Amino acid sequence: MAAGLFEGQYVWHPAADDRRLASVCVDVRAGRYLSAQEALAEARDDYGLRAHRSLVLASEAADSDLAEQWLAEEPTPEAGLMWARVAVQRALRAADARDDRAEALERIALAACERASQMAPADPTPWVAKLSMARLHDLRDPAPHGLLTAPPGPWQLFSHVLRLDPWNREGHHRFLAFFFTRHGGSVNAAWDVAAFLSQRAPVSSPLRLLPLVSLVESYNPSQLLADRVWEQPQWRSTALAIYQNWLPQVSGYRFTPVLDLAYLAHALFMAQREFEARAVFMAMGPYASRMPWSAFGEPAEQLSRARRSCGLPVPGAG
């Protein structure tokens, strides 16, 4: 799917150019779920699209009782999935805010994920939702052979996701996030896991981006020459290989993978490969994501700085 031309403003909405999803978001905000049922049902055989749509829709529904109402009135697998997604978002939000209701909300979310997985046993998405909560109950299974740091983590839960969908994008990212320092992990463990997982993936897979995600997570502006890390041969070659092997696949996607493209564009820009970064920005069109730019300052300013260096227009420049 072509992202469309940049027309002077960034579009930050996570639906990006999935116009069906953007339309459904409007309905969900208005308290209507029929179009959400249809949009998720048509993605039953496309787990990447199903994960993307359910996550975006849950963020729209998390502050209302729409998911509960939908599940009560129409207990379909899609309603179960939406309820699980909403319940997990509420549990994570409460835990991060140290809300007194956090434990109760986590129990509700775990039950919702279990119910959703029973309603659609082949769908990895409820298990992915459950995986995003692993940091709350600190799952510590022993790591498989092949990792230098052998970091314990939710390996069994992740293995179940992989049995259902071996290259599940969100599952890999949720699992990697367990090892981030902000969730109690370490820089070395996150790098180790990112390298291990990315090397398993096909060369044309967006999972090859995982080390670049880990690199952004470890960014520390107080370290000497912190902004020059991306210029090191290992990181530059990683970004260029993804550019060569994955970027050509993007035009065939059902929606533009804005977040993955943003990490690639950022890495190429930081590695002073403006020619390649420009092509990635053009593939993104007007669509923008807060990460990775927010790790370095105000997202719109950082994105504009990178685009400007690549000779591309930015908002307000006309």
Side-chain angles (χ1 to χ4, degrees):
M1 180 180 285
L5 296 175
F6 179 79
E7 296 181 349
Q9 296 295 328
Y10 300 135
V11 178
W12 296 94
H13 196 286
D17 57 349
D18 185 342
R19 291 179 177 81
R20 177 75 182 273
L21 177 57
S23 173
V24 174
C25 285
V26 175
D27 284 349
V28 167
R29 284 195 295 273
R32 299 187 294 266
Y33 61 77
L34 180 59
S35 63
Q37 166 66 35
E38 294 169 350
L40 291 177
E42 75 174 24
R44 283 184 182 177
D45 297 326
D46 185 336
Y47 295 137
L49 184 65
R50 190 169 170 88
H52 172 64
R53 286 182 171 177
S54 62
L55 187 62
V56 172
L57 291 174
S59 67
E60 299 285 359
D63 293 322
S64 73
D65 64 353
L66 178 77
E68 292 93 327
Q69 177 190 346
W70 179 4
L71 188 60
E73 295 176 0
E74 301 278 347
T76 62
E78 287 69 39
L81 176 59
M82 181 66 116
W83 169 231
R85 286 291 212 181
V86 165
V88 166
Q89 286 202 17
R90 290 173 182 167
L92 291 171
R93 190 188 301 172
D96 291 341
R98 302 190 183 281
D99 190 308
D100 291 340
R101 301 168 298 165
E103 285 191 22
L105 289 171
E106 184 187 350
R107 286 194 297 272
I108 291 170
L110 288 170
C113 290
E114 184 67 25
R115 180 173 180 178
S117 66
Q118 291 171 356
M119 295 173 83
D123 184 2
T125 321
W127 295 94
V128 171
K130 189 175 181 180
L131 184 60
S132 67
M133 291 194 296
R135 62 184 173 87
L136 302 185
H137 35 101
D138 202 29
L139 294 178
R140 295 284 173 180
D141 309 321
H145 296 298
L147 286 94
L148 294 174
T149 59
W155 291 96
Q156 290 184 27
L157 182 54
F158 182 53
S159 294
H160 188 81
V161 172
L162 299 188
R163 282 196 292 273
L164 295 172
D165 185 17
W167 310 118
N168 188 281
R169 182 207 171 277
E170 187 187 342
H172 280 75
H173 280 265
R174 297 293 186 189
F175 182 67
L176 176 60
F178 178 90
F179 300 95
F180 290 164
T181 53
R182 59 188 162 100
H183 295 153
S186 70
V187 169
N188 286 340
W191 277 350
D192 198 9
V193 170
F196 178 76
L197 296 179
S198 68
Q199 287 163 9
R200 291 175 60 254
V203 294
S204 60
S205 169
L207 297 178
R208 290 280 173 154
L209 283 155
L210 291 171
L212 299 180
V213 175
S214 182
L215 188 59
V216 169
E217 278 291 324
S218 68
Y219 175 71
N220 181 352
S222 67
Q223 289 182 340
L224 188 65
L225 301 177
D227 287 349
R228 306 294 294 273
V229 171
W230 284 262
E231 297 175 36
Q232 294 176 7
Q234 71 182 99
W235 299 117
R236 181 176 280 168
S237 62
T238 296
L240 287 172
I242 297 165
Y243 170 82
Q244 291 160 0
N245 296 308
W246 172 66
L247 185 63
Q249 312 295 320
V250 170
S251 61
Y253 280 35
R254 291 180 68 178
F255 64 94
T256 298
V258 178
L259 186 58
D260 287 338
L261 287 168
Y263 273 99
L264 178 56
H266 171 265
L268 291 166
F269 161 66
M270 296 293 281
Q272 298 189 4
R273 298 297 300 233
E274 282 86 358
F275 175 83
E276 291 86 356
R278 178 188 175 93
V280 181
F281 280 126
M282 292 180 71
M284 290 170 66
Y287 303 104
S289 61
R290 288 186 55 79
M291 286 296 286
W293 314 106
S294 60
F296 302 84
E298 200 282 321
E301 291 178 5
Q302 295 297 316
L303 174 56
S304 291
R305 173 172 161 257
R307 284 180 61 93
R308 202 177 289 114
S309 78
C310 296
L312 292 170
V314 300

